[in-house]
Amino acid sequence: MLELDQLSFRYPGQTTGWQFGFSVAPGHCVAVHGASGTGKSTVLNLIAGFLEPDSGAIRLAGQAIQNLSPWERPVSSVFQEHNLFEHLDVATNIGLGLHSGLKLTSDQRQMIAQSLDRAGLAGFGYRMPAELSGGQRQRIALLRAILRRKPVLLLDEPMTGLDPDAKHNLRTMLLEEKARGAILVLASHDEEDRKVLADQVWNL
Amino acid sequence: MINRPSNAPLSHPYWQLVPGIVLGTGLIGLVLLGLGSLLVTAGHLDFSVVWSSRYLRGVVTFTLWQAVLSVLLSLLVAVPVALALARFHDFTGRALLLRLMELSLVLPTIVAVSGIIGVYGRQGWLTTMVSEWFPHHGWNLYGVNGILLAHVFFNAPLAARILLQTLEAVPAPRLRIASQLGLRGWWLWRTVHWPAMRPILPGLAALVFTLCFTSFAIIMTLGGGPATTTLEVAIYQALRFEFDFAQAALLAVIQLVICGSLWWLAFQKQMPTSLMPGRRFSNPITLRYSVSQRCLGAVLLWVFFVFLTLPLFAIILRGAPALVPLNGIPALYFQLLPATGRSLLIAIPAGLGAVLGALLTLAATHKSSGKMLSAIPVTAGYLPLVVPPLVLGTGLFLLLRPGLGNTAQGWALVSFINGLMALPFVIQVLRGPLAELDDNSRRLADQLGVLGWYRWRWLYWPRMRRPIALGLAYGTALSMGDFGVIALFGSPGQPTLPVLMYQQLSSYRVADAAGTGLWLLGLLMLIFVVLSAISRPAIRTQRVTASPSVVEPEHA
């Protein structure tokens, strides 16, 4: 269970801040809903630890995680863009998710290759991100997030701007993760995304 | 947030902060120590000596006068050149001219001076040509003419590049509107060009002024005697020949006060971050112009092109015969090779030190919070611009005087000061690429735990290797061409390449000097080519990483 308990945050100079409070069970997806500028990304950044809350708590399975550094949190993020390091090839981009210094075992290397196969990206390991389409880049970003096996997936408009096929691909991958028990927090202004993926909606 | 270190090596935030702070504090301390020893040696500063001595009064006046003239002339050339370059993107040879302007920035002063002598000297090409038509022109390169000419040769390209960069930084919408309204001439200048240039002119003038004010090699080679001596040369003479340490200290203090107060005036509000030229240029937007304007621009750029290339040709054409073995190995090589070894021995550590220092300083600048703490690395980065090398050298010389026995220690000191002098320029090369890691990548790297050494290895190193190589090349080249600090500490019996060249020039072995000049020039090119080649990424990267910015050397 991921719980946001009276989590409040205010950007410097802002008069009114936000307060978030919801909980999601494993295998479920919460959609954070609101117009742009209403704090969809903010809540994701708070959970990921990129922003520091003014007060309140974030708990995962009863453990408070709001004081952990981003690299210690049990979460993986996929943003709308800039998910990949442009100067590193696909396999390295994924590999850095498994070990932050790229010290990989042969098993892990194999796992990367296999998951690329399964995602329909066989042989893409040595390609550079700039050679790929938007949908392919997002699939790779999601692959890395999945391979990290963190209990929470934070999705910040991951399908915005993609063509229908690519959207379909990504949704399928996400549904699989849900079925395996991952907690999904989705920020998306796409009605369809919410309908397909979300079990509950948190309105801002 | 609790910043627990991850398992990545060197990932504690202190690793980014502490080394730079320690380094900065050390450098500031050392400079203060040097200045302190100057003041102590000078005893009670008796400035009345300066005014009562006709010689010293002359020196101070001449130094100021030639520097002011040099600034005016350099800017007079640079402003139209920068305007022409900004407006006529389709000028044939524009790229070549820009490259040439860069080259003249790392060109060792002494080499350039020999080229200038080859063109404008008594036996020079241009002088000979002009003499045929006007036998009584009375032109004499040695003296104030040569000094101003050389200063313009070095500083006009530098100033033009910086101005061009600010002109290119004018927001595209403003240019589009100017283009749509068909603005030209006076109004274009008033609405677009002058507002863009005005904010950096004081800083630019201060920079050029400092470089000319502390000019050393040019005065040593082209100055015509006591009437055309600058403070920098006077300090050198007082130390080296008259052993009058008090006078050297007095002159150094005067120089520091003038330079320091000038920088203080120019940068009361801001640090000179935009003073170094970069190489990023935007897409051209065509502005309205008349045919005559266009012709004028083209002529101007061609004249400037010739002005920059002639001395280079002179170096190549005059130097080649001395280096090419026609019958047996030229005797020159027996002097060249040991001098090359000595130069490299000094320059490579200086370059490496400058790069390392720049990286640590930048990391600490980025990481430090609080006014006091963040002031340390910033100050350390700019200090070498304000404190002239010879002043610092003098201070440290006085401080270490009894212990400064053998040559190796002297060389280590030269290497250190050279590296320090290169620091601001190397920082400028590395700053842009280092800041390029965007927020999203940074967050992503945080989440993945790519920290400390891992972050350097996987995220910074791939995009920094080229800028680092460029910075290393600049640092090394600046030190290779140094003829200021080395003149103070080196021994004439064991010259570096610039010192050897100076010795040859002053004993009228012009052919040998030309050969040495060409050799040094070739060596510098080689350094740039080799470092650029080995820093080329092994795996292909799609997006070309930021084109590195370009720096100017300080010409001693």
Side-chain angles (χ1 to χ4, degrees), chain B residues 10 12-23 355-369 373-374 376-378 427 430-431 434-435 442 456 460 464:
Chain B
L10 308 184
H12 199 283
Y14 280 174
W15 281 110
Q16 289 174 55
L17 179 65
V18 174
I21 296 290
V22 169
L23 179 84
V355 167
L356 190 67
L359 286 173
L360 294 180
T361 305
L362 283 171
T365 314
H366 182 71
K367 206 77 190 170
S368 58
S369 51
L373 204 59
S374 56
I376 292 175
V378 174
I427 285 181
L430 300 183
R431 182 197 304 275
L434 202 61
R442 229 177 286 250
W456 169 253
Y460 284 114
M464 290 302 292

Side-chain angles (χ1 to χ4, degrees), chain B residues 110 114 117 221 500-509 513:
Chain B
I110 189 105
S114 92
I117 294 174
T221 41
L500 176 67
M501 198 172 159
Y502 175 71
Q503 291 170 347
Q504 290 163 337
L505 274 178
S506 51
S507 57
Y508 299 102
R509 286 180 287 148

Side-chain angles (χ1 to χ4, degrees), chain B residues 27-103:
Chain B
L27 290 184
I28 294 171
L30 206 62
V31 170
L32 289 180
L33 216 60
L35 295 180
S37 78
L38 259 185
L39 290 175
V40 169
T41 313
H44 61 292
L45 287 175
D46 189 4
F47 286 102
S48 62
V49 176
V50 180
W51 301 120
S52 56
S53 151
R54 247 191 79 197
Y55 165 69
L56 291 181
R57 209 167 51 214
V59 167
V60 174
T61 332
F62 178 74
T63 313
L64 278 170
W65 182 64
Q66 63 85 19
V68 169
L69 271 185
S70 299
V71 171
L72 290 179
L73 287 175
S74 299
L75 290 182
L76 209 62
V77 174
V79 170
V81 166
L83 280 175
L85 277 170
R87 295 201 52 186
F88 303 116
H89 281 268
D90 49 352
F91 171 67
T92 338
R94 185 178 192 269
L96 186 66
L97 183 56
L98 289 176
R99 275 305 164 99
L100 210 65
M101 286 159 73
E102 279 167 30
L103 176 75

Side-chain angles (χ1 to χ4, degrees), chain A residues 45 48-52 67-72 75-77 79 81-83 85-88 92 96-97 99-103 126 128 130-131 144 148, chain B residues 1-8 11 437-438 440-451 453-455 458-460 462-463 539-543 545:
Chain A
N45 285 336
F50 302 138
L51 294 175
E52 229 176 311
N67 288 329
L68 298 177
S69 305
W71 51 92
E72 295 171 313
V75 301
S76 281
S77 299
F79 305 105
E81 49 186 12
H82 301 301
N83 284 297
F85 301 114
E86 292 292 328
H87 63 287
L88 301 174
T92 309
L96 281 177
H99 185 278
S100 58
L102 207 69
K103 298 192 177 14
Y126 292 108
M128 303 304 284
E131 299 171 49
R144 176 175 63 200
R148 278 162 55 78
Chain B
M1 187 179 305
I2 300 171
N3 259 325
R4 234 168 285 166
S6 81
N7 56 2
S11 60
L437 197 64
D438 57 296
N440 238 333
S441 297
R442 229 177 286 250
R443 286 178 168 180
L444 212 56
D446 273 351
Q447 184 171 76
L448 301 181
V450 183
L451 305 162
W453 169 251
Y454 292 155
R455 185 173 296 203
W458 292 107
L459 300 190
Y460 284 114
R463 65 183 80 204
I539 45 165
R540 77 220 143 90
T541 40
Q542 278 292 305
R543 205 185 284 170
T545 39

Side-chain angles (χ1 to χ4, degrees), chain B residues 480-498:
Chain B
M480 287 281 288
D482 168 61
F483 177 69
V485 189
I486 186 70
L488 195 61
F489 293 107
S491 63
Q494 292 178 305
T496 59
L497 283 171

